Structures are given as C-alpha cells and as structure tokens.
Amino acid sequence: QVQFVESGGGLVQPGGSLRLSCAASGFTSNYYAIGWFRQAPGKEREGVSCFESATGDTYYADSVKGRFTISRDSAKNTVYLQMNSLEPEDTAVYHCAFRGGFCVAGTLVYDSWGQGTQVTVSS
C-alpha cells in the first residue's frame, strides 16, 4: 500500500502562494497517477490536479488552471502542487492520492490517500 505525507499548507492572504508536498513510499509500479483533491466544509471532495507517470501528462480543474502546477521529483518520491494567485475559494483540506495506471475522474478510484494539509486563504 502506498503511503503519503502531505505538508506545506498554511494561512496565506489572497494573491499569495503555497507549495504543497506529497512524500510517498511503498510504490510498486512504474505506471501510476497521483491526484490532488480538496474538500471544503460543507462541500464534496473535488479533484484539483493529477499527474500520470506513463505519459507525463498533467490535468487541472478549470477553477485552478493557470494558477496551480503539479510536478514530480522522482528521486525524492515527492509530488508537489505549486499554488499561485490563491483565492479564498481555494480554502480547503488538500489530499494527495494514488492509483495504478492513468488519471481518472472521481475519488473512489484512487486507492491510497494522505492525511491532508489545511490551506486557508484569508485577509
């Protein structure tokens, strides 16, 4: 089972930036997808971004496209989510998640989840 430790969350002002880290262990496949999801109070969890190793492709929700960037440092087994131009609507608990294969929509098809890190955007 893949295990993740998320870090990098915090409190920032609108327009600020954060970089979230997802340190992984337990990988047994060369073909995988790492997704970032977020959940705000009273709302369903939504997909934010995804990276798939087989193709190198990345995907972004429309709400974060152009502001967030997902990347991977394979030597460190770490996936990052660089978040720029943060807005109050970005406030949520952010989780990274793993599945074998390719990026897909939805949360139920991801097998392993990190504990989450809180991002709060407020003035």
Side-chain angles (χ1 to χ4, degrees):
Q1 182 176 344
V2 178
Q3 296 180 330
F4 296 108
V5 178
E6 297 105 326
S7 62
L11 173 64
V12 298
Q13 294 182 330
S17 298
L18 286 172
R19 189 182 72 164
L20 305 184
S21 298
C22 179
S25 62
F27 282 99
T28 59
S29 175
N30 293 324
Y31 301 96
Y32 60 88
I34 302 294
W36 282 98
F37 297 82
R38 66 186 182 186
Q39 186 167 23
K43 300 182 66 176
E44 295 183 352
R45 186 156 52 191
E46 62 176 340
V48 175
S49 183
C50 188
F51 169 87
E52 58 185 31
S53 67
T55 64
D57 288 348
T58 59
Y59 302 89
Y60 300 93
D62 289 341
S63 59
V64 306
K65 193 173 299 182
R67 300 187 296 120
F68 291 10
T69 303
I70 190 170
S71 62
R72 176 192 64 177
D73 186 337
S74 59
K76 297 181 179 180
N77 287 333
T78 300
V79 174
Y80 303 97
L81 185 67
Q82 178 67 47
M83 306 186 297
N84 298 325
S85 301
L86 284 163
E87 305 168 352
E89 292 75 18
D90 297 316
T91 297
V93 176
Y94 284 71
H95 296 263
C96 60
F98 164 88
R99 72 181 304 273
F102 300 89
C103 290
V104 297
T107 64
L108 297 179
V109 293
Y110 288 81
D111 301 310
S112 301
W113 295 78
Q115 85 287 350
T117 185
Q118 176 71 47
V119 172
T120 302
V121 185
S122 176
S123 59

